[in-house]
Amino acid sequence: MICVETQFFNLNRILLFAVGLWPYQRTKLTRFQVILFVSILTSFIIFQFTALITTECTLEFIIKVFSTAMFFSRYVIIYNSFWVNAHSVKYLLEQLQDICDQLKDKNEIAIIGKYGNIAKYFTTIAIAGCGAFIAILLSIWSHIFHTDFHINESRQTVQIVTEYFVDQEKYFYLILLHKNAVICIGMTTLTGTGTTLLAYVTYACGMFKIASYRMENAMTTKVLQNINLINQIMIHKKIIDAVEIHCKAIKFCEFLTSTFEGSFFPLLIIDVISLSLNFYGIFRNASLGDNEAILLHLLFAFIILVYMFIINCVGQEIINHNNHVYFTAYNSQWYDAPLHIQKLILFILLRGRQTYTLNIGGGLFAASLECFATLTKASMSYFTFMYSMEE
């Protein structure tokens, strides 16, 4: 018997519990933790925009502020989305457990276990990447603050522009603590929520794979060579079981996308704009020779690209696994089956003519590698426009 939570979601549980987003055991302390973390993340964005009040707003300065503020705003959006939809996150986990409990075939259990291990493997990689990003960024900031407060020299720095309306040298350590807290909370949130959603979609791919297995197992040569009443009933049952878990996989994905569509759609728009601004920051600081600023914008652009790629990559996997169900039905020896079974297979093939995708924004975006290329191209177009305007 598979216990989804303890076997495959134990790392996700630790990450989400650390930031107060684990949907179980929501105590008063957890609510206080959520309020505190949201306040920290939101205040950091506000303190970046307040710099526009006290500083001369040139185009370059505005782009510098927005390139970082929009990056950190994604933390707030994702955090609030998971907190508001905690019941849905819990429901999806329970649905997965219920589906796993219904599996009796050892091969089907092995399939879902394989996809669970894949999700856990990606979670482990994401945690390692998150730790590396935090270590790099915190070391950069430590160097920045040392440079700013101990060298009386006017220079452009990689420091994220903020305005706290206090003496920043006097409250240096409190400001540094605030910024470090934002990085740690934000990256833990991004990793925990992202890997949880990735695990959900990976399990959906496992359901599609089981549907293909059931379809293939129903139409074996051995069974079709000896068509009798018992075999006909068995074929009917296996095809119905295949269609049933296929429908469950589609409903699972539809519930997942409908739950988080309200945050995914604005997040994609923010990512495209933020990516364009960080591309601009890279080329702008390259012309100024500011290597530290280039590294900062490279890190931000890399995180955005990786996140966009993973979202669209898992969407492409859903498309591929869904198509594989119909390819399996088409490649089976359906022509050797009785007429009423052929009609049942034909019905499945007709449904397979419509490609199933994870739609975001009312179908405006369909998660796929093509969508990733489109979003990246749009970001490059906006960056090219901004760079040409400067010239």
Side-chain angles (χ1 to χ4, degrees):
M1 180 179 176
I2 296 176
C3 181
V4 173
E5 181 181 338
T6 56
Q7 288 182 245
F8 303 116
F9 279 85
N10 53 340
L11 294 177
N12 306 86
R13 179 179 58 187
I14 294 171
L15 290 170
L16 294 179
F17 189 79
V19 290
L21 294 178
W22 184 242
Y24 298 92
Q25 302 171 349
R26 302 181 72 176
T27 62
K28 291 182 179 180
L29 180 61
T30 303
R31 293 188 180 93
F32 172 76
Q33 182 184 10
V34 170
I35 294 172
L36 177 62
F37 285 1
V38 169
S39 300
I40 292 173
L41 294 173
T42 306
S43 61
F44 186 62
I45 299 170
I46 294 173
F47 289 139
Q48 289 181 69
F49 283 120
T50 52
L52 297 172
I53 301 174
T54 59
T55 308
E56 183 182 355
C57 293
T58 62
L59 178 61
E60 182 180 348
F61 183 76
I62 292 173
I63 291 176
K64 183 177 182 180
V65 171
F66 272 84
S67 64
T68 55
M70 295 191 73
F71 175 84
F72 287 101
S73 65
R74 65 201 320 273
Y75 292 158
V76 178
I77 294 173
I78 295 172
Y79 194 101
N80 288 331
S81 176
F82 248 70
W83 173 252
V84 171
N85 296 298
H87 292 294
S88 297
V89 175
K90 182 179 178 181
Y91 172 77
L92 288 167
L93 192 61
E94 291 171 351
Q95 284 292 104
L96 285 177
Q97 185 61 60
D98 184 58
I99 290 170
C100 290
D101 290 342
Q102 294 177 15
L103 299 178
K104 304 300 179 184
D105 189 297
K106 64 178 182 179
N107 292 325
E108 295 178 2
I109 295 174
I111 289 172
I112 206 69
K114 174 186 175 182
Y115 279 84
N117 286 324
I118 291 174
K120 192 172 182 179
Y121 174 74
F122 281 120
T123 302
T124 305
I125 294 177
I127 292 173
C130 172
F133 175 81
I134 293 175
I136 292 172
L137 195 54
L138 293 187
S139 64
I140 291 174
W141 278 8
S142 176
H143 175 69
I144 292 164
F145 274 89
H146 178 77
T147 301
D148 285 345
F149 290 109
H150 296 280
I151 297 180
N152 294 323
E153 180 180 326
S154 176
R155 63 184 290 269
Q156 292 289 332
T157 68
V158 67
Q159 180 184 3
I160 294 176
V161 180
T162 54
E163 178 55 70
Y164 287 85
F165 300 105
V166 295
D167 185 343
Q168 294 201 23
E169 185 172 358
K170 182 179 180 181
Y171 296 97
F172 161 66
Y173 289 108
L174 288 177
I175 295 173
L176 183 60
L177 176 63
H178 183 213
K179 294 186 175 184
N180 289 347
V182 169
I183 288 296
C184 294
I185 295 170
M187 287 306 300
T188 304
T189 300
L190 191 66
T191 306
T193 56
T195 53
T196 300
L197 295 176
L198 176 62
Y200 284 154
V201 178
T202 304
Y203 268 100
C205 291
M207 294 181 217
F208 284 120
K209 188 68 174 180
I210 291 174
S212 299
Y213 167 77
R214 289 179 178 179
M215 185 65 65
E216 185 178 5
N217 198 34
M219 303 295 290
T220 59
T221 304
K222 182 178 179 180
V223 173
L224 293 175
Q225 285 178 349
N226 184 24
I227 295 294
N228 51 43
L229 183 60
I230 296 176
N231 283 344
Q232 288 186 37
I233 295 174
M234 184 185 67
I235 293 173
H236 265 284
K237 184 179 183 303
K238 288 184 176 181
I239 291 177
I240 290 171
D241 289 342
V243 172
E244 181 185 20
I245 196 167
H246 181 260
C247 290
K248 286 182 178 180
I250 290 178
K251 289 180 179 179
F252 183 86
C253 292
E254 288 178 346
F255 184 82
L256 178 64
T257 52
S258 63
T259 298
F260 292 98
E261 186 176 15
S263 59
F264 281 163
F265 182 63
L267 196 60
L268 282 177
I269 297 174
I270 288 174
D271 281 349
V272 169
I273 298 173
S274 182
L275 189 59
S276 303
L277 295 174
N278 280 287
F279 280 152
Y280 176 84
I282 292 170
F283 281 85
R284 174 62 180 168
N285 288 285
S287 63
L288 297 174
D290 192 341
N291 294 328
E292 293 172 354
I294 294 172
L295 180 57
L296 180 69
H297 288 294
L298 272 174
L299 282 172
F300 286 168
F302 177 75
I303 291 295
I304 295 169
L305 280 172
V306 168
Y307 203 82
M308 285 172 50
F309 176 76
I310 291 175
I311 290 175
N312 286 283
C313 189
V314 296
Q316 185 66 50
E317 284 299 312
I318 287 291
I319 295 173
N320 295 342
H321 279 76
N322 179 65
N323 290 340
H324 188 262
V325 176
Y326 301 106
F327 292 153
T328 302
Y330 179 80
N331 292 326
S332 65
Q333 295 179 328
W334 53 269
Y335 43 82
D336 290 334
L339 184 60
H340 59 281
I341 295 179
Q342 290 185 23
K343 291 180 179 179
L344 187 60
I345 297 294
L346 181 61
F347 173 74
I348 296 173
L349 294 175
L350 288 173
R351 286 196 60 185
R353 294 178 61 185
Q354 298 179 348
T355 302
Y356 178 73
T357 57
L358 298 179
N359 292 318
I360 302 172
L364 186 60
F365 296 104
S368 63
L369 294 179
E370 183 180 357
C371 180
F372 172 73
T374 302
L375 294 173
T376 307
K377 184 179 178 181
S379 298
M380 292 300 297
S381 299
Y382 297 144
F383 153 68
T384 305
F385 173 75
M386 287 186 293
Y387 204 71
S388 63
M389 287 292 290
E390 180 192 8
E391 296 179 349

